Amino acid sequence: MDTKLLQGKKIVVGVTGGIAAYKAVEVVSRLRKAGAEVHVMMTREATEFVTELTFREISGHPVAQDMWAKVQEYKVEHIALATLADLMLIVPATANVLAKTATGIADDLLTSTILATKAPLFFAPAMNTGMYENPATKANISVLKDRGIHIIEPASGYLACGVEGKGRLPEPAEIVQEVLDYFSETQSLQGKKILVTAGGTEEALDPVRFLGNRSTGRMGYAIAEAAVRRGAEVVLVSGPTSIPVPAGVRAIKVRSAREMEQAVLSEYDSVDAVIKSAAVADYRPKEISSQKIKKSDGELTLTLVRNPDILYELGQRKKNQVLVGFAAETNDLETYARKKLEKKNLDFIVANDVSAKDAGFGTDTNRVQIFYRDGREESQPLMSKAKLAGLILDRLRGYWDEMSEGIELFPK
Ligand code: CTP
């Protein structure tokens, strides 16, 4: 186990009343060995299975349990531990605590802390198979997942109640590994500078009109946000959109393709990767009328001229940067995406069918195929743009790891 990985991390472990509570003792012990400062909270029911004393000795801190008890170390307990935590881990998590969390019930110290904390939450459910498979529990788990809460999948096996099935708490080492993975992911892009472009461009016709497209910027903003969470320095060059700039991101707002080109080129030399999710207008009106164009009875003909292909230019000037493109297609997705990959000198390209209702412009979800330089491809199922953002950044991290190890890129 990497002993340094949890150094300086404060982890609050919530123990609820299930037979697997004894395994939480080993989880706490392993977290401490990995360098974490661990504070344990127990529900009253949990104390029926394991004593407070055990957890106090193993964690090296007093155990927070009764809402009204006077434990000197914490002032207003639920606030104290809720704000102190870098991560909260509920192990084992009973069906009851999952249900309470899903509905926002805070009737004891642990559930109050869960409700108050802004720290990432991990639940390791353990219960009888029937309870686990009950639609109510399933629905509660799904609500928690939708809120970004991490669920550590229970294992299958022989349960204390005498039946075989799903609901067993995974081994303590596996639970701790999930925590380690989480922290290593959050540091996975440390030291990297990433340029993300987002949104559509607007090409002015006159002082009140423009030619635009249906891009909302959601994909690019999700990527920028996820990259900051993973420790990267992020510059976001964005076309007009109503989405707020994520905390920690430096944003450069632009309107037209040529403004985007300037902003991107001014940052290009200093970045390690460019993720070009913006929908850039390929053409702009030849002339911008300084006054509002007045209607007349006849037809109006606009002459359009080509805009620069920004990503093509980046491909031409590429040094060490990894270039990730997007391809918005309505037909022959693979053929067009591969052509763009080649022509623009990209490392990989994320292609999606923008004619699908649940993918592409203006949706919260996307379904993509990724094509790599070495000829490989992968098809991803429909997923949220936030999840896809994480996946693209994982691929980028993988690319760097494999380059530094000098092994085959993107092995199967
Ligand atoms: N792109 C760009 N500059 C342009 C057009 C596109 O940088 N003038 C980038 C996009 O940000 C995207 C990739 O190139 O990452 C592909 O964009 P897309 O609109 O799918 O393709 P085009 O190159 O414009 O080709 P076509 O319109 O013929 O499909």
Side-chain angles (χ1 to χ4, degrees):
M1 187 181 294
D2 186 342
T3 47
K4 283 190 214 88
L5 205 53
L6 295 181
Q7 203 73 52
K9 299 283 186 246
K10 296 186 176 75
I11 298 179
V12 173
V13 174
V15 185
T16 65
I19 184 67
Y22 75 94
K23 287 194 186 171
V25 177
E26 192 182 335
V27 171
V28 171
S29 162
R30 283 176 176 267
L31 289 172
R32 272 195 88 186
K33 281 188 192 136
E37 178 183 317
V38 186
H39 297 265
V40 177
M41 309 187 84
M42 299 176 81
T43 60
R44 206 199 55 75
E45 292 75 16
T47 62
E48 300 285 341
F49 292 91
V50 185
T51 66
E52 272 186 59
L53 185 62
T54 307
F55 280 111
R56 192 171 78 199
E57 292 304 309
I58 288 288
S59 69
H61 291 283
V63 171
Q65 189 233 325
D66 186 344
M67 196 103 176
W68 317 114
K70 288 187 184 113
V71 178
Q72 293 302 312
E73 190 155 325
Y74 312 115
K75 285 205 181 88
V76 185
E77 279 186 11
H78 66 282
I79 299 301
L81 286 181
T83 51
L84 165 142
D86 293 314
L87 183 145
M88 244 188 116
L89 170 66
I90 315 304
V91 56
T94 55
N96 193 37
V97 79
L98 295 171
K100 284 189 193 173
T101 308
T103 46
I105 292 174
D107 62 353
D108 62 9
L109 182 58
L110 177 61
T111 47
S112 304
T113 309
I114 290 171
L115 201 59
T117 193
K118 288 195 165 59
L121 281 163
F122 281 68
F123 282 73
M127 67 198 73
N128 153 280
T129 306
M131 292 171 87
Y132 181 70
E133 284 175 354
N134 187 294
T137 306
K138 285 196 161 158
N140 290 331
I141 288 179
S142 147
V143 165
L144 298 182
K145 280 186 178 168
D146 284 348
R147 289 191 202 137
I149 290 173
H150 305 257
I151 302 289
I152 302 174
E153 283 286 305
S156 294
Y158 183 75
L159 302 176
C161 53
V163 297
E164 286 267 332
K166 201 164 179 184
R168 216 163 62 90
L169 193 74
E171 290 310 310
E174 291 167 37
I175 295 173
V176 171
Q177 191 58 48
E178 296 242 3
V179 173
L180 290 169
D181 288 349
Y182 171 79
F183 282 115
S184 77
E185 181 203 283
T186 58
Q187 292 155 7
S188 68
L189 294 178
Q190 210 123 53
K192 297 291 184 192
K193 185 171 174 187
I194 299 177
L195 173 64
V196 182
T197 71
T201 58
E202 290 179 358
E203 305 298 331
L205 274 169
D206 70 13
V208 294
R209 302 182 181 97
F210 60 82
L211 298 178
N213 61 62
R214 295 188 197 284
S215 170
T216 57
R218 277 185 225 173
M219 191 65 244
Y221 277 64
I223 294 170
E225 191 174 355
V228 164
R229 219 179 311 120
R230 284 157 197 247
E233 180 185 344
V234 181
V235 185
L236 175 67
V237 176
S238 169
T241 155
S242 54
I243 309 175
V245 175
V249 168
R250 177 159 67 86
I252 305 175
K253 298 284 183 91
V254 298
R255 280 193 181 279
S256 66
R258 284 189 297 174
E259 280 174 33
M260 181 170 281
E261 179 194 27
Q262 264 194 354
V264 166
L265 290 180
S266 70
E267 299 288 331
Y268 191 45
D269 287 343
S270 69
V271 302
D272 300 296
V274 181
I275 305 181
K276 215 158 174 321
S277 70
V280 187
D282 291 321
Y283 294 91
R284 65 175 183 277
K286 189 171 182 191
E287 269 149 32
I288 304 175
S289 166
S290 60
Q291 290 171 342
K292 188 181 169 198
I293 300 169
K294 287 291 178 192
K295 63 176 166 296
S296 59
D297 290 337
E299 291 176 346
L300 172 70
T301 305
L302 293 174
T303 304
L304 303 178
V305 293
R306 275 292 305 270
N307 263 334
D309 184 329
I310 306 169
L311 196 49
Y312 177 79
E313 277 181 66
L314 299 184
Q316 295 292 304
R317 300 173 187 217
K318 185 167 163 179
K319 289 187 188 117
N320 300 318
Q321 298 91 340
V322 176
L323 285 187
V324 182
F326 273 72
E329 308 295 348
T330 55
N331 54 292
D332 299 318
L333 185 118
E334 173 158 6
T335 314
Y336 287 128
R338 286 207 185 276
K339 267 192 192 150
K340 287 174 191 176
L341 176 77
E342 196 59 40
K343 186 170 171 223
K344 303 190 189 202
N345 194 17
L346 309 180
D347 296 281
F348 57 99
I349 190 158
V350 182
N352 64 321
D353 178 353
V354 286
S355 63
K357 276 213 170 68
D358 50 6
F361 295 155
T363 62
D364 280 323
T365 50
N366 216 344
R367 185 188 296 106
V368 303
Q369 273 178 280
I370 306 179
F371 300 95
Y372 299 96
R373 245 192 132 62
D374 64 1
R376 272 209 326 111
E377 65 171 90
E378 62 175 309
S379 292
Q380 290 294 334
L382 187 73
M383 65 177 79
S384 70
K385 286 186 173 169
K387 189 159 180 209
L388 179 60
L391 188 132
I392 293 168
L393 294 171
D394 285 348
R395 296 299 180 269
L396 182 60
R397 178 68 263 173
Y399 188 91
W400 278 316
D401 289 345
E402 284 154 7
M403 274 203 301
S404 64
E405 286 166 18
I407 58 173
E408 185 196 352
L409 296 179
F410 307 111
K412 287 185 184 72

